[in-house]
Amino acid sequence: MARKIQLTLLGCGGVGRQLLRHIVSTRKLHEDQGLRVAVMAVVDSKSIVLGEKNEELDDTALLQISLAKEKNNQMPAGLNARAVRKEYFDATLAAAIRTITEETGRPLVVADCTASEKIGQALAEIADLNCCIVLANKKPLTSSFNVYDRIAALNRRYRCESTVKQEVGAALPVIATLNRLLNSGDSIRKIVGALSGTLGFVMSRLEYGESFSDIVRQAKELGYTEPDPRDDLGGMDVARKALIMARLMGWRINLEDVEVECLYPPSLAPKLMSTMQFLKGLPELDLPMRNRVKEAAARGCVLRYVATIENFHCKVGIVEQPQQSALGQLHGSDNLVEIFTRCYSTSPLVIKGAGAGNDTTAAGVLADVLDLQDYFG
Amino acid sequence: MARKIQLTLLGCGGVGRQLLRHIVSTRKLHEDQGLRVAVMAVVDSKSIVLGEKNEELDDTALLQISLAKEKNNQMPAGLNARAVRKEYFDATLAAAIRTITEETGRPLVVADCTASEKIGQALAEIADLNCCIVLANKKPLTSSFNVYDRIAALNRRYRCESTVKQEVGAALPVIATLNRLLNSGDSIRKIVGALSGTLGFVMSRLEYGESFSDIVRQAKELGYTEPDPRDDLGGMDVARKALIMARLMGWRINLEDVEVECLYPPSLAPKLMSTMQFLKGLPELDLPMRNRVKEAAARGCVLRYVATIENFHCKVGIVEQPQQSALGQLHGSDNLVEIFTRCYSTSPLVIKGAGAGNDTTAAGVLADVLDLQDYFG
């Protein structure tokens, strides 16, 4: 008799779609371990797709959903499933989850693979239902403490490994490592991390003498940036990752408390111009950036965009790093986290990883889901 | 009402003693989390110390045991506890554990902090009692499959993070990371690791032109080696760590299948001479080693003592590494593991850490124990 993990997937973008495929492709592996990941519902912003008669969605349905969402961002028609069309990333979501738990008489893992801010309230209500929650979405953990505390109260019944590493290296066990250290009584003194593959690419290219504007354009063409590169260059994504780690350490701080260096001036802000106009205006940043690189090089250093978490202060921005240091040696879109503790005081514990994209992030979400298996008899 | 993890500690050497202190010093932290680690028994090779009337040993008793074992390697007299004197690292151990589980009516976590080979059989019987097992001792996982399979059948109810990192950096999450990767369906292609702090110290010192014999003598004086340095230079400790990772990946191989490079010739073996004589004979290895270092340097490389796990083959020995590579940059007693997978194919997932000794290893054991808390209602 297999141990069944009932899962509801929220969000069916790149990560969610890939998660459905991973679930299907690891089916045999998990069966051999006496495990079954049963997807009870897939939810996007417009609809919820449920199995018939509270059964799980079969593998054909999961692949159909994944394909249809990829093709035209629509849930497929004609599924052997109930599809309810409605605005779903709000309070009605919690009601739907409650119905599933009541009708099946079993707890659920709810995996948030959206990028939604407003889903936080629904997740807080879902947490109160004593479901397990797995987050790839950083926003519920980085907005108000009203939402954060209710999710965090789940303690070991929520996981969020993929929030810190959403773009790059989702299987990197940063959160799990921090939890291990905290639980074993080791005190964390400082965390320094290069947490953005996009900004890692940009900063390490600067060393080769290329201009800032050229590198950003290249990164956009290669699909390394968001459609609007300012979403990466603004640093808020890194700030959210830093905040998640700081809150994990028990700090009661908010996103506004994180000191963030934005890599473009207010005169190029999204409210003033389009992405195209921004890219045209970008060369004005080349000279100042080139000077910063030169000044750092004269001191044997390179520039890195880094989060520093220390003494109840979170800071995110460009710092000079010695060329020979671990961060200085970092190249391309590799991510790296250094953790200084009582036990790791002189030489930090280092976790480094490369690899980008939804495949790795979805694998990280699945690992988090499986890590909850002990709650499912 | 606190969640109580009942623990029995096997072995009260450096790691076990430190574990008892960690348990006492993290008492308050865990109480705040609604957790209590209740030490029901402490076992060394000659005796078992139990609380009175199946109660846990109180903090005074735990500290007394830790101190007395440190002072004269004896369990303390006059404890408010039952002490039974007997040979304990054999089958009678399983019987004693069975009695504790029956009398308290609750499951146990049994933490093996011994270095005993023959304790394996007892652990296999304890596994059959459906207790949880945490291992810092590598031997039960690297001897016969008869023992291994019965422990491994516990699946998530056994943990062994500290076996791979016993000397250095026990909190490094190598085993946990491998498990995450395997569970999420990522396939592991290769593992390369510098897994011995002692050999890391020796190999990185060779670069500075010091002689092999001088470095080994220094390492012994600094307490970095075992009392007989041949226990480190023989490579078997690294081979056991490699074997644990290989078996975790499902390989049915034994310690004899690991190809091991021993850093001293048969003419200097323990059965032929004492440690003192060995240290006197050691300079005969200086010239050949110096030549190896020079040849590597001519190719822009350095020597590292590394475990390589690939294509169903485990190899442990000296390899040349480019000076600029992550392994080439490794210094002192730092450990480093590179994991190549489908997702991490070109640039590996890297975990690196420093910090030595029983403090860190014991912290790793405690983290493993706490990670089992979901089995204790």
Side-chain angles (χ1 to χ4, degrees):
Chain A
M1 180 57 192
R3 176 183 274 194
K4 191 161 94 172
I5 305 177
Q6 292 200 144
L7 178 72
T8 289
L9 170 62
L10 310 183
C12 210
V15 174
R17 294 196 307 261
Q18 190 60 47
L19 178 61
L20 295 179
R21 289 176 205 187
H22 277 329
I23 289 169
V24 173
S25 66
T26 53
R27 189 69 82 199
K28 178 76 181 60
L29 172 78
H30 295 144
E31 261 170 23
D32 292 345
Q33 299 172 356
L35 263 182
R36 181 164 187 88
V37 179
V39 181
M40 306 308 290
V42 179
V43 183
D44 69 5
S45 62
K46 297 198 201 67
S47 54
I48 177 168
V49 175
L50 299 150
E52 300 247 347
K53 301 178 200 149
N54 297 321
E55 297 289 326
E56 62 179 279
L57 292 159
D58 62 25
D59 286 353
T60 312
L62 298 182
L63 293 177
Q64 269 183 287
I65 293 170
S66 182
L67 284 169
K69 284 292 293 186
E70 186 167 15
K71 208 169 157 194
N72 57 16
N73 198 24
Q74 293 278 330
M75 288 291 196
L79 266 184
N80 186 18
R82 288 182 287 157
V84 186
R85 305 221 164 258
K86 211 169 184 183
E87 172 71 37
Y88 256 102
F89 289 173
D90 62 10
T92 60
L93 179 57
I97 301 291
R98 183 196 299 269
T99 305
I100 299 173
T101 59
E102 283 173 358
E103 289 183 1
T104 61
R106 296 169 60 93
L108 273 182
V109 178
V110 176
D112 178 4
C113 296
T114 73
S116 163
E117 175 107 42
K118 69 175 177 173
I119 208 167
Q121 192 58 37
L123 284 181
E125 286 170 42
I126 289 167
D128 294 347
L129 296 174
N130 220 10
C131 288
C132 297
I133 294 179
V134 171
L135 293 137
N137 180 9
K138 285 180 280 294
K139 291 178 182 153
L141 296 179
T142 53
S143 47
S144 81
F145 273 104
N146 172 36
V147 167
Y148 181 84
D149 286 340
R150 284 160 78 187
I151 296 173
L154 287 175
N155 196 0
R156 289 166 60 87
R157 296 169 71 103
Y158 88 99
R159 307 284 162 129
C160 59
E161 199 64 76
S162 298
T163 53
V164 172
K165 293 280 166 180
Q166 186 160 9
E167 301 153 7
V168 176
L172 288 195
V174 176
I175 301 283
T177 302
L178 289 175
N179 271 325
R180 276 182 75 85
L181 292 167
L182 289 168
N183 272 329
S184 65
D186 199 0
S187 51
I188 293 168
R189 291 174 180 169
K190 183 161 88 164
I191 302 173
V192 180
L195 302 170
S196 160
T198 312
L199 295 177
F201 175 86
V202 172
M203 300 318 287
S204 68
R205 278 299 176 94
L206 283 171
E207 283 157 64
Y208 307 143
E210 291 175 70
S211 73
F212 185 64
S213 60
D214 277 349
I215 302 169
V216 171
R217 254 192 302 262
Q218 267 181 59
K220 180 174 159 60
E221 278 161 25
L222 290 166
Y224 289 180
T225 69
E226 297 291 319
D228 184 342
R230 285 171 291 193
D231 288 347
D232 300 291
L233 298 174
M236 289 316 289
D237 188 68
V238 177
R240 284 189 193 273
K241 292 172 180 173
L243 181 60
I244 288 171
M245 292 193 273
R247 285 187 172 180
L248 192 72
M249 291 157 68
W251 299 6
R252 306 287 294 178
I253 63 169
N254 292 304
L255 198 54
E256 305 80 68
D257 302 318
V258 181
E259 193 184 322
V260 182
E261 179 181 356
C262 176
L263 294 189
Y264 60 87
S267 57
L268 299 179
K271 61 180 176 202
L272 297 180
M273 59 180 71
S274 71
T275 305
M276 285 303 293
Q277 290 171 309
F278 167 73
L279 288 171
K280 275 195 195 125
L282 202 50
E284 73 176 68
L285 304 179
D286 289 349
L287 186 63
M289 193 60 95
R290 184 162 291 157
N291 288 337
R292 266 178 102 166
V293 173
K294 269 189 200 158
E295 283 163 28
R299 285 184 282 266
C301 289
V302 293
L303 302 182
R304 292 289 178 262
Y305 197 90
V306 158
T308 309
I309 304 164
E310 189 179 18
N311 291 333
F312 296 95
H313 187 65
C314 273
K315 209 169 61 181
V316 167
I318 293 181
V319 296
E320 292 191 7
Q321 288 284 324
Q323 256 153 10
Q324 294 307 316
S325 68
L327 276 165
Q329 293 275 317
L330 199 65
H331 285 295
S333 59
D334 278 17
N335 279 17
L336 186 146
V337 180
E338 297 183 329
I339 307 171
F340 296 82
T341 72
R342 179 175 54 77
C343 287
Y344 296 95
S345 56
T346 48
S347 185
L349 197 164
V350 179
I351 302 172
K352 193 184 98 163
N358 297 331
D359 180 3
T360 317
T361 305
V365 172
L366 183 55
D368 273 353
V369 170
L370 292 165
D371 219 26
L372 292 163
Q373 63 182 268
D374 298 323
Y375 296 104
F376 298 86
Chain B
M1 179 60 193
R3 175 183 274 194
K4 190 161 94 174
I5 305 177
Q6 292 200 143
L7 177 72
T8 289
L9 169 62
L10 311 182
C12 209
V15 175
R17 294 195 308 262
Q18 191 60 47
L19 177 60
L20 295 179
R21 288 175 205 188
H22 278 329
I23 289 169
V24 173
S25 67
T26 53
R27 190 67 84 198
K28 177 75 181 62
L29 172 77
H30 295 144
E31 262 170 23
D32 292 346
Q33 298 172 356
L35 263 182
R36 181 164 188 88
V37 178
V39 180
M40 306 307 290
V42 179
V43 183
D44 69 6
S45 61
K46 297 198 201 68
S47 54
I48 178 168
V49 175
L50 299 151
E52 301 245 347
K53 302 178 201 150
N54 299 320
E55 296 288 326
E56 63 178 279
L57 292 158
D58 62 25
D59 286 353
T60 311
L62 298 181
L63 293 177
Q64 269 183 288
I65 293 170
S66 180
L67 283 169
K69 285 290 295 187
E70 185 168 16
K71 209 168 158 194
N72 55 16
N73 197 25
Q74 294 277 330
M75 288 290 198
L79 267 184
N80 187 18
R82 288 181 288 157
V84 186
R85 304 221 165 258
K86 214 171 184 180
E87 171 70 37
Y88 255 101
F89 288 175
D90 62 11
T92 59
L93 179 58
I97 301 292
R98 183 196 299 269
T99 306
I100 299 173
T101 59
E102 285 173 357
E103 289 184 0
T104 61
R106 296 168 60 92
L108 274 182
V109 178
V110 176
D112 178 4
C113 296
T114 73
S116 164
E117 175 107 42
K118 69 175 178 175
I119 207 166
Q121 191 57 36
L123 284 181
E125 288 171 40
I126 289 167
D128 295 346
L129 296 173
N130 220 7
C131 288
C132 298
I133 294 180
V134 171
L135 294 137
N137 181 10
K138 285 181 281 294
K139 290 177 182 154
L141 296 179
T142 52
S143 46
S144 80
F145 272 105
N146 171 35
V147 167
Y148 182 83
D149 286 340
R150 285 160 77 187
I151 295 174
L154 287 175
N155 196 0
R156 289 166 60 86
R157 295 168 72 100
Y158 89 99
R159 307 284 162 127
C160 59
E161 198 64 76
S162 297
T163 55
V164 172
K165 293 282 165 175
Q166 186 159 10
E167 301 153 6
V168 175
L172 289 196
V174 176
I175 300 281
T177 301
L178 289 174
N179 271 325
R180 275 182 75 85
L181 291 167
L182 289 167
N183 273 329
S184 64
D186 199 0
S187 52
I188 293 168
R189 292 176 179 169
K190 183 160 87 161
I191 303 173
V192 180
L195 302 169
S196 160
T198 313
L199 295 177
F201 174 85
V202 172
M203 301 317 287
S204 68
R205 277 301 176 93
L206 284 171
E207 282 157 65
Y208 307 143
E210 292 176 70
S211 73
F212 184 64
S213 59
D214 276 349
I215 302 169
V216 172
R217 254 192 302 265
Q218 266 182 59
K220 180 173 159 60
E221 277 161 25
L222 291 166
Y224 289 180
T225 70
E226 298 292 319
D228 183 343
R230 286 171 291 191
D231 289 347
D232 300 291
L233 298 174
M236 289 314 289
D237 188 69
V238 177
R240 284 187 192 276
K241 291 172 180 172
L243 181 60
I244 288 172
M245 292 193 274
R247 286 187 170 179
L248 192 72
M249 290 156 67
W251 301 5
R252 306 287 294 178
I253 63 169
N254 292 305
L255 198 54
E256 304 80 67
D257 302 318
V258 181
E259 191 185 323
V260 182
E261 179 181 357
C262 176
L263 293 190
Y264 59 86
S267 58
L268 298 180
K271 61 181 177 205
L272 297 180
M273 61 181 69
S274 70
T275 304
M276 284 304 292
Q277 289 171 309
F278 167 73
L279 288 171
K280 275 193 195 127
L282 201 50
E284 72 176 68
L285 303 180
D286 288 349
L287 186 62
M289 193 60 96
R290 184 162 292 157
N291 288 337
R292 269 178 99 165
V293 172
K294 269 189 201 159
E295 284 163 28
R299 285 185 281 267
C301 289
V302 293
L303 302 182
R304 292 288 178 263
Y305 197 90
V306 158
T308 309
I309 304 165
E310 189 179 19
N311 291 333
F312 295 95
H313 187 66
C314 272
K315 208 168 61 178
V316 166
I318 292 180
V319 295
E320 291 191 6
Q321 288 285 325
Q323 257 154 7
Q324 295 306 317
S325 67
L327 276 165
Q329 293 274 318
L330 199 65
H331 284 295
S333 59
D334 278 17
N335 279 16
L336 185 147
V337 179
E338 296 183 331
I339 306 171
F340 296 82
T341 72
R342 179 175 55 79
C343 286
Y344 296 96
S345 56
T346 48
S347 184
L349 196 165
V350 179
I351 302 172
K352 193 184 98 160
N358 296 331
D359 181 2
T360 317
T361 305
V365 172
L366 184 54
D368 273 353
V369 170
L370 292 164
D371 219 26
L372 291 163
Q373 63 183 268
D374 298 323
Y375 296 105
F376 299 85

